[in-house]
Amino acid sequence: MSKVTVVDTSLRDGSHSVRHQFSPDEVAKIAKGLEESGVDIIEIGHGDGLTGSTINYGFAKASDYDLVKAASDVLTKSKIAVLLIPGIGTVEDLEEMRTAGCSVVRVATHVTEADISAQHIKASKDMGFYTVGFLMMSHMAGADRVVEEALKMESYGADTIYVTDSGGAMLNRDVREKIGRVKEAVKIPVGHHAHNNLGLAVSNSITAIEAGATFIDGSLGGLGAGSGNTPTELLSAVMKREGIENNTDLYKLLDTCDDILRPILDEKGVHLSIDHDSLMIGYAGVYSSFLLHARRASKRFNVDVRDILMELGRIGAIGGQEDLIISVANDLSKKKK
């Protein structure tokens, strides 16, 4: 199985959740945390793509240029992506994005309308961008049609093709068939962007990887339109459990979400529902009732609750062995000294 490139869309698709009110300073802080977490590509801008800041889609707090520039000023490894929907964004907008520090452009159309992307994909390539053809609402077309539209985008010069579940309506079998068919048909990498409306975002993302996708989208805490996107930290945890190679650091993703993103969201009155300690229960594979005890031990011995849970998982602790939690926490605290 090939190494997966992780794309985080917290600062673009996640912009919908905050009514497009991320400031340049907030974008810089979150983007830096994502880079330190090993995210390969960070998508930034208005939720509806370049120049989406209008009365129709909602006015943003800052321009796409200012948001991209703020991130570019603090990033040294992660690439910056923007979304361009023909009819909203224009070719002229791309030059400004290149100046701001963007290097990846995702040209998005409805799944049956790839032909309107030809000009934008060609222009993006001519400007030197890594260019993605982004087929939205892919649940609305059969596999044959998705393949047909993907081949069009490839012929226009796209470097990668995305089969995108914009409505969160695809089941595992849909993802498997459409990603698999597109992967067989094109000569370029294939990606998947999932939404969690049916609670299948992580499952669909893993299914996409199994079917051949090597670019996968997520967002911190699942932040995004509708029921949100694939939570990047959950994706990271499952990929690690599955042995899928990628660059993400799970602990750093959790810290970026909890220590940087959550306080910003709290100020905006937006709250994430994901409990990251509960995530660690599943990742470590320990008894769910251990959580409260592990949190208490974490405070008592001043050690990371995640390390306690991981060690309990390593030694195979089971229900009824709650006394081990104190012992494990104590041992970890001694190792810190």
Side-chain angles (χ1 to χ4, degrees):
M1 192 175 292
S2 300
K3 185 175 183 179
V4 169
T5 296
V6 175
V7 182
D8 187 274
T9 70
S10 306
L11 298 172
R12 198 280 302 169
D13 211 337
S15 177
H16 288 290
S17 301
V18 299
R19 303 178 304 282
H20 318 294
Q21 296 303 296
F22 281 127
S23 70
D25 181 60
E26 290 166 345
V27 164
K29 290 177 181 177
I30 296 167
K32 187 61 177 175
L34 288 169
E35 179 178 74
E36 292 174 352
S37 303
V39 170
D40 303 292
I41 301 173
I42 302 168
E43 190 179 47
I44 295 172
H46 190 281
D48 290 284
L50 291 180
T51 66
S53 181
T54 62
I55 192 170
N56 283 345
Y57 304 111
F59 290 108
K61 186 170 188 174
S63 70
D64 295 316
Y65 177 90
D66 288 342
L67 297 177
V68 170
K69 184 66 167 61
S72 178
D73 285 345
V74 300
L75 299 180
T76 59
K77 295 178 293 183
S78 298
K79 296 178 180 178
I80 296 175
V82 294
L83 184 79
L84 185 151
I85 301 175
I88 300 177
T90 67
V91 168
E92 288 71 23
D93 296 320
L94 295 181
E95 186 61 46
E96 187 178 51
M97 289 302 102
R98 183 169 63 176
T99 302
C102 171
S103 61
V104 179
V105 172
R106 310 212 294 180
V107 181
T109 74
H110 184 69
V111 66
T112 59
E113 298 176 358
D115 56 311
I116 69 171
S117 70
Q119 177 189 9
H120 300 81
I121 289 176
K122 183 179 185 303
S124 176
K125 288 292 294 179
D126 288 345
M127 292 180 192
F129 289 106
Y130 187 93
T131 305
V132 177
F134 204 76
L135 293 170
M136 299 188 292
M137 301 292 284
S138 291
H139 73 282
M140 296 185 69
D144 288 345
R145 185 61 184 272
V146 175
V147 168
E148 179 184 340
E149 301 299 313
L151 287 168
K152 288 179 185 178
M153 285 182 159
E154 181 182 37
S155 73
Y156 304 150
D159 296 298
T160 294
I161 298 294
Y162 261 71
V163 177
T164 303
D165 186 17
S166 315
M170 293 172 73
L171 304 177
N172 287 171
R173 62 172 180 264
D174 303 318
V175 173
R176 185 177 296 107
E177 180 186 18
K178 292 174 183 179
I179 292 287
R181 288 284 304 282
V182 171
K183 179 66 177 175
E184 290 176 357
V186 302
K187 298 180 177 63
I188 56 179
V190 177
H192 185 59
H193 172 104
H195 278 257
N196 204 37
N197 297 29
L198 293 177
L200 294 173
V202 174
S203 178
N204 279 345
S205 296
I206 298 302
T207 298
I209 294 169
E210 293 172 346
T214 52
F215 282 71
I216 298 292
D217 287 12
S219 66
L220 290 176
L223 199 67
S227 292
N229 294 12
T230 304
T232 307
E233 60 274 31
L234 283 173
L235 175 66
S236 174
V238 176
M239 286 196 297
K240 291 181 187 303
R241 288 289 301 270
E242 289 281 6
I244 298 169
E245 185 181 3
N246 67 95
N247 291 328
T248 61
D249 182 310
L250 176 59
Y251 276 25
K252 288 183 179 179
L253 282 171
L254 295 172
D255 290 341
T256 298
C257 187
D258 289 340
D259 300 340
I260 301 176
L261 178 63
R262 284 185 192 270
I264 290 171
L265 295 181
D266 287 345
E267 291 181 1
K268 301 179 188 301
V270 177
H271 304 289
L272 296 174
S273 60
I274 291 178
D275 183 329
H276 285 154
D277 288 347
S278 295
L279 182 160
M280 289 303 300
I281 286 281
Y283 182 61
V286 299
Y287 196 48
S288 292
S289 66
F290 281 4
L291 183 53
L292 180 59
H293 301 283
R295 283 174 172 165
R296 290 171 176 165
S298 171
K299 291 181 180 179
R300 177 179 173 184
F301 293 96
N302 192 30
V303 294
D304 195 321
V305 67
R306 298 172 298 195
D307 290 333
I308 296 174
L309 294 171
M310 288 299 292
E311 180 61 14
L312 290 168
R314 188 190 69 79
I315 64 177
I318 61 174
Q321 294 182 313
E322 283 77 5
D323 56 311
L324 279 177
I325 297 173
I326 297 297
S327 177
V328 164
N330 184 44
D331 289 345
L332 289 172
S333 69
K334 290 178 180 176
K335 291 178 181 178
K336 288 179 61 177
K337 296 178 180 178

